[in-house]
Amino acid sequence: MSEPIVSVRNLVVEFPLRRGLFTAVNGVSFDIMPGEILGVVGESGAGKSMTGSAIIGLIDRPGRIASGEVYLSGQRIDNLPPDEMAKLRGKRIGMVFQDPLTSLNPLYTIGEQLIETIRRHLPMNEAQARQRAIDLLAEAGIPSPETRIDSYPHQFSGGMRQRVVIALALSAEPDLIIADEPTSALDVSVQAQIIRVLKQLCESRGAAVMLVTHDMGVIAETATRMIVMNKGKIVETGSVGDIIKRPQEEYTINLINSIPSIKDETRRHDVPPAATPLVQVKNLTRDFDLSPGMLDRMLKGSKRTVVKAVQDVSFNIRKGSTYGLVGESGSGKSTCARMLVGLIKPTNGQVLLEGDDIWAGGSGTQQRRQRVQMIFQDPYASLNPRWRVGDIIAEPMRALKLVANKREAEERVADLLEKVRLDPISMRKFPHEFSGGQRQRIAIARALSSQPEFIVCDEPTSALDVSVQAQVLDLMRSLQDEYGLTYLLISHNLAVVRQMADDVGVMSKGVLVEQGQVDDIFDNPQAEYTQMLLNAVPDISKVN
Amino acid sequence: MTTQPNLAPPAAAKPRSRLYRMWDSDIFFSFRRSPVTIVAAIVAVLLIGAALLAPWIAPYNPFDPSSLNLMDGFTPPNSQSMMGNYFLMGSDHQGRDVFSTILYGSRVSLFVGVLATAFAMLIGISLGLTAGYVGGKTDAVIMRVADIQLSFPAILIALLIFGIARGIIPPSKQENMALWVLIIAIGLSNWAQFARTVRGATMVERQKDYVSAARIMGVHPLFILVRHVLPNVMAPVLVIATIGLALAIIEEATLSFLGVGVPPTQPSLGTLIRIGQQFLFSGEWWILFFPAITLILLALAVNLLGDWLRDALNPRLR
Amino acid sequence: MLAFILRRLAQSIVVMGVVALISFMLFRYVGDPVASLLGQDSRLEDFEDLRQRLGLNDPFYVQFGRFVGNALQGEFGISYRLQTPVTELIMSRLPATIELAFASALIALVFGLSLGVFTALKPRSFLTGVVMTLSLVGVSLPTFLIGIGLIYVFAVELQWLPSFGRGQVVDLGWWKTGLLTESGLRSLILPAITLSLFQLTLIMRLVRAEMLEVLRQDYIKFARARGLSNRAINFGHALKNTMVPVITITGLQLGSVIAFSIVTETVFQWPGVGSLFINSVQVVDVPVMAAYLMFIAFVFVVINLIVDILYYAVDPRLRINASGSGK
C-alpha cells in the first residue's frame, strides 16, 4: 500500500463568534491515496467546505485550525509559515471553486492568468509557459486554444470558464486537487462534461481529488470512496457503492432515503386522465427587447435584438394534478411561470383559468388574484424581513379583503401555521428567526391563505438541503390531497419532478420540446433533448 | 465556495422584553464594544442637549441689546470683566458672552442642519424609490440629474441657489426668509446621495420575491413601495442621513463663514467663527477658538456615529 | 470605441445644454439686467431703449439661442459689479485657480491613493487605525477652519509661509504663473494643502472601501489558491480591479477641486475665479454667476469624458462584447 497524498488527523476548525465558539470542523480524520477521488458529501453547515479550505490553508477570518494535523505526502503542512504555505498552493495542492463566473479576474486574459500561475511554479520562460497554457486549455477541452488564450473571461460561457479554472488549478501538476462544488453553478448538461474533464485530467496526471459537494448524484458518478459529514463530524466513510446501497448510520440512511432519483416510480395518483383542465395555456409567447440604444443602432448598424424567451407554448393542467415543467437555465420555464401568475405580460397567447383569460383584465384579473398563488425559490427573499410572520401570511387575505377583522385574520393564520406544521406562536416572530425549510413552509402558508386552487411553484426546494427538501415536498403533497390543489411545478431537478408530477413538459430555449405523462417521458423519452438531459443528469441510481 | 456558518438562533428561545432584545442585538453589541463610539454618542448628546436647552442654561442672553455692555468686550476666558461679569469662555468685541453665543449658535446650526438633511432625505428617498421601482426612462433621467448634482460640490449648488433666491426675493423679506433659503439650498445640494442609495437598494428589493408575491395579490404599487420596499432600504439611508447631518452642519457653517448664510441677527457657529477670525491675529483667540472647537466636536461626533452605524449595519466590512 | 465616445459626447452636449438653460434663466430672470446696468435714476425711455437693444423683448427661444451663440464664442456679457466683460474677468483670474487646483489635485491623488491602498492591505495595523481616525477628523473639519488653522500656525506663529495672496507672479503673456518664483511657490503651499485635504480623505476612504471589496472577491481567493505571491495578488490583481470603480469617482472629485476652491480662495485671499464668484453671489452679479456655472459645467464634462475613456481602456468588458463565445 502506498503512502497517502493527504492525511488529515483530528482536524478541528473553530470560529470565535460573539455568542461563543462555533466549531465548524470537529475532529475530522481521513486519508486520500494517490489517484483517488474522494467524495465529501454533506448538507449545508456540515463543515465539508471548511475542511477543504483548512487543507489548503485558506480559512476565512476569524476561523482558525484549533487542533489536529494535516500531512501532505508525509510532511506536516498545517503549521507552515504563511509564505511556505503560499508556495505549496497551486504547486502541490490545486483548488477549483464553485462559481466559474467569479473565479477568474475579469481584467486579465485567461492566457495572462495561466502564464502568471505557470511561471510562478515552474522554471519556464514566457514562450514556454504560453505553449504549456495552450496545451492545458486543449486538454481541458477548449476549442482552438491558440486563439482563445487571448480572450477575456467574459467572452467564455460558464462551462468553458470552469474548464479554464480546472486548467489553472492543474497548471503546475499538483498532487491534490480540492474541488469545492465544482459543478453546482452549472446546468445539468454542462455539469456532466465538467465532471468528465476533471476526472480525465486528474487520472492522466495521477492527481488525487477531494470532491466536496452536496450532490450525491455527482459523487455517485465520480468518486471511488466517500465520507459523509454532518455538523462538523464524519458520520460514515466507505466506498461509494457501499454507502449509497447499504448505508449503516441512521443519519446516512435518512439522507439517502430523502434523495429523489429519476428512476423512482411515480406515486399513484387518482386523477382521471380525462379530467377537465383547470388551466389552459395557449400559444404563449414572450419576447424581450434587448436592443442597444438608438445611437448605437445608428452608429454601429446593430439591429434590434429580440430574445424569444418563450415561443408558442401550449399545455393543459388537469384539475387536482401536478404539472412539472423542467429545463435548464434560460429555457424560459420561469418566464412561463411568471406569465401564469400575472407578473409578466405575454407578448402573445392566452392563459385560461377555467375558460377566463387571466390577462383580459376585469373579471379575469380578479379571478387570477384570488385563485392563483405562487411559491418561490429563495425562502430568504420571498418573505419581507421587516414583517412579522402573522402579517406576511395574512397579506393575501387583507389584499383581497377576504377577512372582516383582525381577530378573524389571526385565527386563520394560526390555522394555516398548524397546517404547515409550525407552532401558531410563530406568527409573532420575524422571518430571520426561522431556518430555510421553516421559511419555505411560511411561504406555503401565505400561498394558501387566499384559498387558491392553483399554485405555481418555481423551484420550491432548490435552495434547500435534501432532507429539508423531502419534508417540504411531502407537505406539498399532503396539502394537495387535502385541498384538491393543482400545482405547476417548475424545476431543473428532474428527480424532484419525477417524484411529484403527474404530467411533465420539457422546455429548451423557449420551446416546449416534449410533454406527456411523467412515466412515459422519463422511461421512454422521444425528443433528443430530453434523452440528452436524462443521460447527463448525475443521479444516485447511476452508482457503479 | 465556503459557506459561512449559518447560526440561526434556536427558534424556541425564551421570549424577552423588547428592550432587552434591542440591548442584546448585534448593533448594540458593537456599540458597547466601541469606546470611541460611546464617547462620540455622549459628546453628541451633550452638545445637542445644551443647544436645545440654550435659553435655560445660557448665563446671558447675547441677543438682548439691553444686557450688552461694550465695557464687557474682549474679556479673556475664565475671568471677570471690568463690569464684574464672569465669562467662562471670554467675551467678544460687543461684550457678548462667548459661551452663551455658542449655545444659541449651535441651536441655529443644528436647526438648519437637521431640517436641511430631512429635506434632502425627503427628496432623495422619493426620487430614489421612483427611479428604482419604475426604471426605464424615468430612472435614466433622475439618475442623470443626480449624477450631475453629485459631481458639483454641494457648496457651489447651495451658493447658486442662495444667489438666485437673493435675486428673486425682495430685499425687505430677505432677512426673514434667509434661514429657510439656507435650509432649502443645503437640502437641494445633498439629495442625490440619498437618491442613489435608495435607488440601488430599491432595484435589489423589487427583484425579490416578496415584492412579486405582493404583486400577484394585486397590492397597489404605492403600498408595495411604502410598506414593503421602504422599510428594507432604510438601513443605508440611516447611515447617509447621519453623515449627511455632519455635512449639512459643516456646509451651513461654511456658507455663514462666507457671509452668505444665516442673517447676522441669528448667528450660527459659522457666523461666530467669521466674527472671531477678525480678532484671531490680534490675540483675542478665544472668540474664534471656542465656536470652532464646538463645530468640530459636533461634526466629528456625528461622523463617528455614522461611521459606526455603517460598520454595524454592514457586518461584512468588519 | 468611436460609438462609445460619440455616445458620451452626445450626453455631454445634453448636459451642457441643460446647464446653459439654467445659466440663461439665471441671467435673464434673476434681477433685472436693465436696472442693474442703468442704475436707479435713469429715464423710462432709456430702459425701453436698452431693453430693445439687448433684445430682451425677443421671444424666449431667440434670446436663448443668442445666449448659447454668444457663449460658444466666449461672450458672457458685462459684469454688473465691475463693468468689465465677464470673459476678460474670468480669464485674468483663471491661472491662479488652475495652478491651485492642480497642485491640490496632485497632493490628494498621490496621498489618497497610497494611504487608501495601505489601509486596505493592512486593515489590522495600528497605523491604519491612526490614519482612519485622522481621516474622520479630516472630513469633520470644515475647509475654512483648516485654512485658518494653517495660517495661524505657519504664517502667524511660526512665520514660515505667507498668509495670503499669490506672491510674485511671472507674466508669460497669456498666463500669469506663480510657479516660477520662490514667493509664488511658498504662497501656494498652504492653500494647496487646505484645498486638498477634503478630497484626499474622500479618495483614501473610497480606495480603501473598494479595495477591501475586491479583496473579498472569489478571483482573489482563487489567485491565492493558485499560489500567487502576495505582491502579485495585491498589486497585480487587487489594485487593478480596484481602479475600475475608483477612476470614475476620483476623476470627478478632482474636477470638483476647481469649484471647491471657492472657500480656500476666500480664506487665503487667493485671486482666482472662486473668490470672484463668491463676491458676485453676494451682490447678485448675475452675468458672472452664469458664466462661472457654465465654466464649471465645462470642466465637469471634459473630465467626465477623460474618465470614460480611461475606464474604457482599463475594463475589457467594455471594449470587447461577449459575442464569439463558444459553447
Side-chain angles (χ1 to χ4, degrees):
Chain A
M1 193 81 199
S2 62
E3 194 188 20
I5 295 274
V6 175
S7 293
V8 176
R9 290 289 168 267
N10 299 316
L11 183 70
V12 178
V13 177
E14 289 176 346
F15 280 79
L17 293 177
R18 182 194 152 192
R19 291 172 207 272
L21 208 60
F22 172 71
T23 311
V25 179
N26 194 357
V28 163
S29 304
F30 60 88
D31 293 331
I32 307 178
M33 292 297 163
E36 180 182 43
I37 298 182
L38 176 75
V40 180
V41 78
E43 298 189 292
S44 54
K48 53 191 193 305
S49 282
M50 209 54 75
T51 308
S53 300
I55 293 174
I56 199 168
L58 286 176
I59 298 177
D60 290 326
R61 270 171 193 279
R64 54 164 207 267
I65 297 181
S67 66
E69 294 120 49
V70 179
Y71 296 93
L72 184 67
S73 306
Q75 181 205 1
R76 185 159 175 197
I77 58 167
D78 59 286
N79 56 1
L80 284 180
D83 286 353
E84 299 281 312
M85 195 63 213
K87 283 182 192 143
L88 280 183
R89 285 196 285 267
K91 174 84 181 127
R92 299 190 50 200
I93 310 175
M95 189 144 184
V96 176
F97 291 110
Q98 172 173 355
D99 192 350
L101 299 187
T102 57
S103 290
L104 298 169
N105 190 333
L107 300 189
Y108 290 96
T109 64
I110 60 162
E112 284 167 340
Q113 299 186 49
L114 272 162
I115 293 167
E116 170 189 45
T117 316
I118 293 167
R119 295 196 62 189
R120 161 87 174 158
H121 298 298
L122 303 174
M124 287 188 176
N125 63 27
E126 184 79 17
Q128 289 169 319
R130 189 180 164 86
Q131 188 51 50
R132 184 177 167 81
I134 291 172
D135 295 344
L136 276 165
L137 288 175
E139 272 187 84
I142 307 266
S144 54
E146 303 82 13
T147 51
R148 297 295 274 158
I149 189 170
D150 294 317
S151 303
Y152 287 94
H154 72 273
Q155 295 171 284
F156 291 88
S157 66
M160 283 295 151
R161 276 193 233 189
Q162 195 64 315
R163 288 168 194 260
V164 174
V165 169
I166 291 173
L168 265 167
L170 284 165
S171 58
E173 307 272 338
D175 309 322
L176 173 70
I177 292 281
I178 299 171
D180 191 354
E181 304 274 6
T183 59
S184 306
L186 303 171
D187 269 329
V188 176
S189 52
V190 186
Q191 209 172 357
Q193 298 164 15
I194 294 298
I195 291 175
R196 216 172 304 132
V197 167
L198 185 68
K199 215 172 158 174
Q200 255 168 25
L201 285 185
C202 293
E203 254 166 32
S204 65
R205 286 174 164 66
V209 180
M210 175 174 167
L211 177 64
V212 176
T213 179
H214 70 282
D215 189 338
M216 197 73 93
V218 170
I219 299 243
E221 283 195 17
T222 323
T224 39
R225 217 158 51 86
M226 68 186 283
I227 52 185
V228 181
M229 286 186 73
N230 181 35
K231 292 183 183 152
K233 292 191 168 152
I234 291 183
V235 182
E236 201 166 344
T237 317
S239 83
V240 171
D242 280 350
I243 290 193
I244 289 179
K245 288 179 187 143
R246 292 171 292 279
Q248 301 297 312
E249 300 294 320
E250 199 191 331
Y251 176 80
T252 325
I253 297 172
N254 286 334
L255 187 68
I256 302 281
N257 279 340
S258 53
I259 300 172
S261 164
I262 53 167
K263 298 288 181 214
D264 284 351
E265 282 297 294
T266 314
R267 62 177 173 139
R268 289 293 128 230
H269 209 267
D270 43 14
V271 185
T276 42
L278 179 73
V279 180
Q280 285 170 281
V281 176
K282 286 189 173 163
N283 308 95
L284 207 55
T285 299
R286 170 71 207 200
D287 300 335
F288 289 108
D289 190 351
L290 298 180
S291 309
M294 205 175 68
L295 197 77
D296 266 299
R297 262 180 294 153
M298 270 157 43
L299 284 167
K300 285 188 189 159
S302 26
K303 301 227 166 56
R304 282 199 168 273
T305 33
V306 176
V307 173
K308 295 186 184 307
V310 174
Q311 284 181 69
D312 207 15
V313 166
S314 305
F315 57 88
N316 293 337
I317 307 180
R318 292 175 288 152
K319 199 169 184 149
S321 76
T322 300
Y323 189 96
L325 204 53
V326 298
E328 297 184 291
S329 59
S331 62
K333 56 188 193 306
S334 280
T335 310
C336 256
R338 293 186 164 247
M339 287 190 282
L340 259 66
V341 293
L343 284 174
I344 299 179
K345 201 170 166 51
T347 314
N348 247 318
Q350 288 177 310
V351 178
L352 302 179
L353 189 66
E354 280 187 325
D356 283 331
D357 187 345
I358 66 158
W359 280 106
S363 76
T365 309
Q366 205 47 44
Q367 287 271 324
R368 186 201 80 218
R369 285 180 182 160
Q370 193 136 7
R371 297 169 67 184
V372 181
Q373 269 292 349
M374 186 159 178
I375 301 169
F376 302 89
Q377 170 174 5
D378 185 357
Y380 294 82
S382 66
L383 308 176
N384 188 337
R386 306 264 157 187
W387 282 30
R388 284 178 198 279
V389 166
D391 293 326
I392 292 173
I393 296 177
E395 195 185 12
M397 296 189 259
R398 297 224 174 93
L400 298 163
K401 304 193 175 59
L402 300 177
V403 279
N405 54 41
K406 216 176 143 120
R407 259 198 78 78
E408 203 187 323
E410 258 181 37
E411 276 167 24
R412 286 273 298 134
V413 169
D415 228 34
L416 286 162
L417 280 168
E418 280 183 356
K419 280 276 179 285
V420 298
R421 301 165 201 168
L422 286 171
D423 191 343
I425 200 84
S426 308
M427 75 170 83
R428 310 243 173 273
K429 295 184 184 166
F430 287 95
H432 71 260
E433 297 174 61
F434 298 89
S435 69
Q438 288 171 323
R439 285 186 219 204
Q440 202 60 312
R441 283 192 246 161
I442 294 169
I444 293 175
R446 171 180 58 191
L448 290 175
S449 107
S450 63
Q451 293 173 303
E453 294 154 57
F454 177 49
I455 301 183
V456 174
C457 314
D458 189 0
E459 305 271 10
T461 58
S462 308
L464 306 175
D465 278 327
V466 270
S467 57
V468 182
Q469 165 173 296
Q471 292 164 17
V472 170
L473 292 180
D474 184 52
L475 174 67
M476 281 173 60
R477 230 174 343 214
S478 65
L479 290 172
Q480 179 170 44
D481 293 341
E482 186 173 348
Y483 295 105
L485 295 169
T486 306
Y487 288 137
L488 172 67
L489 175 67
I490 312 274
S491 184
H492 72 282
N493 189 329
L494 294 167
V496 166
V497 171
R498 167 126 216 196
Q499 206 183 46
M500 293 290 290
D502 302 296
D503 300 303
V504 66
V506 183
M507 283 192 77
S508 170
K509 294 176 186 155
V511 180
L512 193 64
V513 293
E514 188 170 7
Q515 63 172 325
Q517 290 211 357
V518 89
D519 291 343
D520 295 344
I521 300 280
F522 275 80
D523 295 333
N524 191 15
Q526 299 302 313
E528 207 177 309
Y529 178 78
T530 318
Q531 291 165 357
M532 186 278 294
L533 213 54
L534 284 169
N535 271 328
V537 63
D539 194 79
I540 191 166
S541 67
K542 292 185 183 169
V543 63
N544 1 354
Chain B
M1 268 326 304
T2 41
T3 40
Q4 281 296 317
N6 183 14
L7 287 186
K14 218 189 325 173
R16 305 261 200 162
S17 78
R18 190 179 271 241
L19 213 64
Y20 177 83
R21 281 211 314 260
M22 217 167 96
W23 176 248
D24 196 45
S25 72
D26 289 340
I27 288 181
F28 273 84
F29 177 73
S30 82
F31 180 78
R32 282 182 286 160
R33 282 246 313 240
S34 164
V36 179
T37 312
I38 295 175
V39 172
I42 292 170
V43 170
V45 166
L46 280 181
L47 286 175
I48 294 170
L52 288 177
L53 299 175
W56 293 280
I57 58 174
Y60 304 90
N61 181 352
F63 308 113
D64 177 8
S66 64
S67 76
L68 292 182
N69 193 328
L70 284 179
M71 299 291 279
D72 280 335
F74 298 124
T75 313
N78 195 17
S79 58
Q80 286 193 339
S81 70
M82 284 180 286
M83 305 294 293
N85 290 324
Y86 172 75
F87 295 110
L88 177 68
M89 296 180 179
S91 70
D92 69 2
H93 60 299
Q94 295 180 321
R96 291 187 295 197
D97 175 34
V98 171
F99 179 56
S100 304
T101 55
I102 287 177
L103 289 177
Y104 280 93
S106 318
R107 224 170 130 89
V108 176
S109 289
L110 276 168
F111 178 74
V112 174
V114 168
L115 284 190
T117 309
F119 183 53
M121 233 165 112
L122 190 73
I123 304 175
I125 291 179
S126 9
L127 286 179
L129 278 177
T130 314
Y133 196 77
V134 178
K137 291 240 159 52
T138 319
D139 176 40
V141 169
I142 293 178
M143 286 338 282
R144 200 68 201 154
V145 175
D147 276 351
I148 295 173
Q149 203 254 264
L150 272 179
S151 48
F152 287 86
I155 199 86
L156 174 68
I157 294 174
L159 275 172
L160 266 175
I161 296 168
F162 192 85
I164 294 171
R166 212 173 242 211
I168 294 173
I169 301 170
S172 57
K173 291 197 180 142
Q174 268 178 14
E175 184 151 328
N176 290 331
M177 294 183 67
L179 221 52
W180 298 103
V181 169
L182 197 61
I183 288 168
I184 290 171
I186 297 177
L188 280 180
S189 65
N190 284 321
W191 63 273
Q193 193 66 48
F194 289 99
R196 252 163 93 127
T197 310
V198 170
R199 177 236 185 201
T202 303
M203 289 180 79
V204 172
E205 292 301 319
R206 79 158 200 196
Q207 296 295 332
K208 288 196 177 162
D209 291 332
Y210 69 84
V211 172
S212 305
R215 283 174 56 204
I216 292 171
M217 300 161 207
V219 176
H220 193 274
L222 207 61
F223 185 89
I224 294 182
L225 269 185
V226 175
R227 290 292 317 279
H228 277 296
V229 178
L230 188 59
N232 283 298
V233 301
M234 277 316 276
V237 168
L238 219 60
V239 175
I240 302 178
T242 317
I243 295 168
L245 176 62
L247 279 177
I249 290 172
I250 292 177
E251 204 175 321
E252 182 277 321
T254 308
L255 288 172
S256 298
F257 173 79
L258 292 173
V260 293
V262 296
T265 46
Q266 285 169 293
S268 70
L269 291 174
T271 326
L272 297 178
I273 294 169
R274 179 184 169 86
I275 296 168
Q277 194 202 8
Q278 301 160 20
F279 307 106
L280 177 65
F281 305 121
S282 51
E284 285 89 14
W285 53 271
W286 59 88
I287 306 178
L288 176 125
F289 181 75
F290 290 111
I293 284 295
T294 312
L295 175 64
I296 294 171
L297 279 180
L298 187 60
L300 186 60
V302 175
N303 261 333
L304 279 168
L305 287 176
D307 208 47
W308 155 74
L309 203 59
R310 172 173 46 210
D311 289 353
L313 292 177
N314 188 358
R316 278 194 317 156
L317 285 177
R318 255 178 289 158
Chain C
M1 177 76 187
L2 187 68
F4 176 80
I5 291 181
L6 280 178
R7 187 166 64 232
R8 292 301 176 162
L9 218 56
Q11 279 173 2
S12 305
I13 291 170
V14 172
V15 170
M16 282 310 288
V18 171
V19 174
L21 188 66
I22 296 173
S23 298
F24 170 69
M25 309 263 272
L26 194 69
F27 186 74
R28 181 64 190 80
Y29 297 107
V30 174
D32 184 351
V34 178
S36 307
L37 282 172
L38 283 180
Q40 308 273 310
D41 34 57
S42 308
R43 286 172 307 141
L44 217 61
E45 298 90 272
D46 289 346
F47 272 78
E48 202 35 57
D49 186 42
L50 187 63
R51 211 165 249 291
Q52 198 64 45
R53 257 197 301 136
L54 290 177
L56 294 181
N57 295 332
D58 292 343
F60 176 84
Y61 59 90
V62 175
Q63 290 191 43
F64 181 54
R66 196 181 302 129
F67 177 84
V68 172
N70 286 340
L72 284 176
Q73 292 164 31
E75 265 307 318
F76 289 97
I78 290 169
S79 158
Y80 297 162
R81 182 170 62 103
L82 300 165
Q83 300 297 336
T84 30
V86 173
T87 314
E88 211 172 284
L89 264 179
I90 288 189
M91 289 315 284
S92 74
R93 282 168 164 258
L94 200 57
T97 296
I98 288 192
E99 285 177 6
L100 174 62
F102 197 76
S104 324
L106 203 67
I107 298 175
L109 196 63
V110 170
F111 287 94
L113 269 180
S114 41
L115 285 175
V117 170
F118 172 81
T119 51
L121 291 181
K122 299 229 178 293
R124 265 152 248 270
S125 127
F126 175 72
L127 215 59
T128 297
V130 172
V131 172
M132 289 310 289
T133 313
L134 278 182
S135 80
L136 215 53
V137 177
V139 285
S140 307
L141 276 175
T143 311
F144 64 93
L145 273 181
I146 298 175
I148 293 174
L150 288 178
I151 290 178
Y152 188 72
V153 174
F154 293 100
V156 178
E157 290 296 319
L158 298 171
Q159 307 227 329
W160 287 354
L161 297 163
S163 66
F164 67 88
R166 263 186 105 187
Q168 274 187 313
V169 292
V170 179
D171 195 342
L172 300 176
W174 47 277
W175 189 276
K176 285 195 174 68
T177 179
L179 299 176
L180 297 176
T181 63
E182 197 202 325
S183 81
L185 286 173
R186 280 160 50 92
S187 304
L188 185 61
I189 296 176
L190 290 185
I193 292 177
T194 307
L195 182 53
S196 69
L197 272 183
F198 187 71
Q199 317 293 331
L200 193 159
T201 39
L202 275 187
I203 292 175
M204 183 197 109
R205 295 187 138 247
L206 175 77
V207 169
R208 174 182 141 89
E210 291 296 342
M211 192 147 183
L212 284 176
E213 184 67 39
V214 167
L215 286 171
R216 265 194 299 273
Q217 298 296 314
D218 279 356
Y219 54 80
I220 295 298
K221 198 170 177 188
F222 186 55
R224 283 194 206 294
R226 282 190 278 147
L228 298 187
S229 65
N230 272 331
R231 220 185 127 77
I233 292 171
N234 292 338
F235 296 102
H237 287 268
L239 190 59
K240 188 166 176 185
N241 291 69
T242 304
M243 288 334 282
V244 176
V246 164
I247 283 175
T248 327
I249 305 176
T250 303
L252 294 179
Q253 283 303 329
L254 293 181
S256 63
V257 160
I258 291 192
F260 249 104
S261 66
I262 296 169
V263 180
T264 312
E265 287 183 13
T266 308
V267 174
F268 287 91
Q269 297 168 40
W270 189 264
V273 281
S275 48
L276 174 71
F277 176 66
I278 191 80
N279 291 333
S280 308
V281 168
Q282 276 158 347
V283 298
V284 202
D285 188 348
V286 175
V288 179
M289 284 163 66
Y292 185 75
L293 184 63
M294 292 285 284
F295 163 65
I296 293 291
F298 182 69
V299 171
F300 158 69
V301 159
V302 168
I303 289 186
N304 226 329
L305 213 60
I306 296 173
V307 161
D308 280 337
I309 293 170
L310 269 179
Y311 203 92
Y312 195 83
V314 173
D315 195 338
R317 285 166 293 191
L318 287 178
R319 275 202 308 275
I320 307 154
N321 49 26
S323 67
S325 64
K327 269 262 169 183

